[in-house]
Amino acid sequence: MFRALAKASAALGPGAAGRVQTMANHQLVVAPPEALRKPFSIPDRLLLGPGPSNLAPRVQAAGGLQMIGHMHREMLQIMDEIKHGLQYVFQTRNRLTLAVSGSGHSAMETALFNLLEPGDSFLVGVNGMWGQRAADIGARIGARVHSMVKEPGDYYTLQDVEEGLAQHKPVLLFLTHGESSSGVLQPLDGYGELCHRYQCLLLVDSVASLGGAPIYMDQQGIDVLYSGSQKVLNSPPGTSPISFSDKAKQKIYARKTKPFSFSMDMKWIANFWGCDDQPRIYHHTTPVIGLYSLRESLALLVEKGLEESWRQHREATAYLHQRLQELGLQLFVKDPAIRLPTVTTVAVPAGYDWRDIVGYMLDRFGIEITGGLGPSLGKVLRIGLLGCNATRENVDQLAAALKETLQHCPQNKL
């Protein structure tokens, strides 16, 4: 091989030969990491935080299937089946329904990058972490961001929204259906109709709620709805369902400027997913294995039925609330009508450091719960019952572990 390389470099001239020799003489300065010589091991844990959730066995098995090409006809068929599944879980007939490659943040950015242009008025409900993120992204785009700020644990009434619409005349309103940082379920009936009366599109984040709480995209007049794969769907992180109404699609296709991100340009992605009746053109390499898993998670939800899934989460979470209150813990969201049935927030017990509680639960029992996020940081513990994890058995296991944790952490009182 080296003789052939020498002949090739000679044919290219003395300069090329020098370059080849220099490349061959470089020394490795980074040693092979010893950690990668050790066996790969993952602890067995019950994930009862706000996500990711434990994978359903069938979804986990799908992740072990053989790789195929992202443009193979079998892969395109899988993508088509995912689209139909998403239309069911979103309860929409929108043709522009697909899964973005990336986490829920990628879906949020895809929505905002395609719907907003510099100078557009953007109204954001900020009652937790996700409204903060949406406002931040809108500002980066150059939109005129108007935040309606409420304390964690509160929600937006139709009157709140109408006042914002009348004052700021936005092209887009952002609301979080399941605010996982505070445990609030935002009502949605009537909000789409109200937005359309003011010539505004309604964008809803359902990352923490889809599959666990009722949502009817078309009937509620939601123009853009997105979610994530790693919550109630019990699928790996990395794919994010999203759907656009015809009104939202018209705004995208009437843009005066191109979206800032090529990776999230919905015209390209819509074509790649077969949503525009045109021959599919390569846009990016999709997470093939992740799409296998998403397809199977949607199949499981279809077999169970949306209404049964909603019932399962409602009943398991009601039982969780009962067990927590028996331990003397205080639910953070005061109004039962707006408590998120997938992620429950509990006020951190007086005198305790939330990090000690979370750490003891994980180390002693292999159970994950988490603390607050954004505005709720330090104020709450967050407990998730997501998809197949939403069972009475898991609640009983959690309650027993939490009882011991609170008994063994008094020395860590502040």
Side-chain angles (χ1 to χ4, degrees):
M1 183 183 79
F2 288 109
R3 283 197 296 270
L5 183 60
K7 288 181 180 179
S9 61
L12 292 171
R19 288 196 296 273
V20 171
Q21 184 178 17
T22 300
M23 290 172 62
N25 287 337
H26 278 306
Q27 300 295 314
L28 296 178
V29 296
V30 179
E34 289 302 316
L36 293 181
R37 300 185 189 276
K38 300 176 183 177
F40 186 48
S41 177
I42 297 295
D44 184 16
R45 288 175 175 162
L46 178 58
L47 303 180
L48 297 183
S53 58
N54 292 99
L55 302 186
R58 186 164 140 191
V59 174
Q60 190 165 347
L65 296 176
Q66 181 60 260
M67 176 74 70
I68 62 174
H70 58 286
M71 294 292 287
H72 290 184
R73 64 177 180 274
E74 295 86 355
M75 194 64 227
L76 300 182
Q77 177 63 33
I78 291 169
M79 293 164 72
D80 287 342
E81 291 172 3
I82 288 171
K83 287 190 293 184
H84 296 316
L86 294 179
Q87 287 174 324
Y88 170 68
V89 297
F90 280 154
Q91 283 297 288
T92 184
R93 293 187 174 87
N94 294 335
R95 292 200 59 208
L96 189 45
T97 301
L98 48 86
V100 172
S101 299
S103 69
H105 278 92
S106 296
M108 178 189 284
E109 289 197 322
T110 297
L112 295 176
F113 283 172
N114 284 274
L115 292 172
L116 291 177
E117 296 189 75
D120 280 348
S121 178
F122 178 33
L123 185 62
V124 186
V126 181
N127 61 338
M129 179 73 171
W130 308 115
Q132 288 183 341
R133 291 283 168 93
D136 185 351
I137 295 167
R140 291 167 186 250
I141 293 169
R144 292 180 290 116
V145 179
H146 308 284
S147 295
M148 301 184 295
V149 180
K150 292 213 172 191
E151 289 297 312
D154 206 348
Y155 73 103
Y156 296 92
T157 66
L158 286 168
Q159 181 180 345
D160 294 331
V161 169
E162 183 159 21
E163 289 173 359
L165 293 171
Q167 179 180 356
H168 301 294
K169 299 178 174 53
V171 300
L172 183 67
L173 166 67
F174 174 92
L175 292 175
T176 307
H177 184 225
E179 180 48 80
S180 60
S181 69
S182 62
V184 167
L185 183 70
Q186 169 67 44
L188 292 175
D189 285 343
Y191 291 76
E193 180 184 356
L194 178 60
C195 284
H196 298 159
R197 198 184 312 155
Y198 283 84
Q199 306 302 310
C200 175
L201 298 175
L202 175 59
L203 166 62
V204 173
D205 177 318
S206 68
V207 171
S209 59
L210 185 71
I215 192 165
Y216 309 89
M217 183 173 187
D218 289 356
Q219 294 179 59
Q220 291 174 321
I222 301 168
D223 292 292
V224 186
L225 182 63
Y226 68 84
S227 190
S229 57
Q230 75 277 16
K231 306 279 187 176
V232 173
L233 294 180
N234 298 133
S235 198
T239 58
S240 296
I242 193 168
S243 181
F244 295 82
S245 70
D246 286 342
K247 289 180 180 177
K249 180 180 177 181
Q250 289 167 10
K251 186 171 193 325
I252 292 171
Y253 281 73
R255 289 180 63 96
K256 301 181 182 67
T257 60
K258 287 186 177 182
F260 291 151
S261 170
F262 175 83
S263 296
M264 297 173 184
D265 188 324
M266 188 45 60
K267 287 184 180 179
W268 277 91
I269 300 174
N271 169 267
F272 188 37
W273 274 81
C275 298
D276 64 359
D277 292 326
Q278 299 298 318
R280 298 190 190 195
I281 300 173
Y282 166 77
H283 175 250
H284 71 285
T285 304
T286 53
V288 170
I289 302 297
L291 291 179
Y292 293 173
S293 299
L294 178 59
R295 190 269 180 202
E296 284 300 275
S297 69
L298 291 169
L300 286 171
L301 190 51
V302 165
E303 292 168 13
K304 174 181 288 188
L306 270 176
E307 292 176 321
E308 173 60 21
S309 182
W310 297 338
R311 183 199 63 77
Q312 173 190 345
H313 286 83
R314 182 176 63 250
E315 293 183 359
T317 298
Y319 183 55
L320 171 65
H321 293 172
Q322 174 190 327
R323 295 302 308 272
L324 292 172
Q325 289 171 323
E326 288 171 356
L327 293 174
L329 296 172
Q330 182 180 356
L331 299 178
F332 183 71
V333 179
K334 305 302 182 185
D335 184 352
I338 61 165
R339 288 175 184 157
L340 181 59
T342 54
V343 179
T344 295
T345 47
V346 181
V348 176
Y352 284 88
D353 187 327
W354 68 269
R355 289 163 292 199
D356 293 332
I357 297 173
V358 168
Y360 190 92
M361 290 282 289
L362 191 64
D363 295 340
R364 175 70 176 85
F365 300 104
I367 297 176
E368 180 198 46
I369 64 172
T370 65
L373 193 65
S376 66
L377 182 63
K379 299 178 181 179
V380 302
L381 298 170
R382 296 187 296 154
I383 301 169
L385 295 178
L386 303 170
C388 63
N389 283 353
T391 67
R392 290 174 69 96
E393 292 77 14
N394 282 345
V395 171
D396 287 337
Q397 186 176 345
L398 169 77
L402 194 51
K403 180 178 180 180
E404 181 179 323
T405 298
L406 295 175
Q407 291 172 345
H408 281 77
C409 290
Q411 68 273 22
N412 294 323
K413 285 188 176 183
L414 300 176

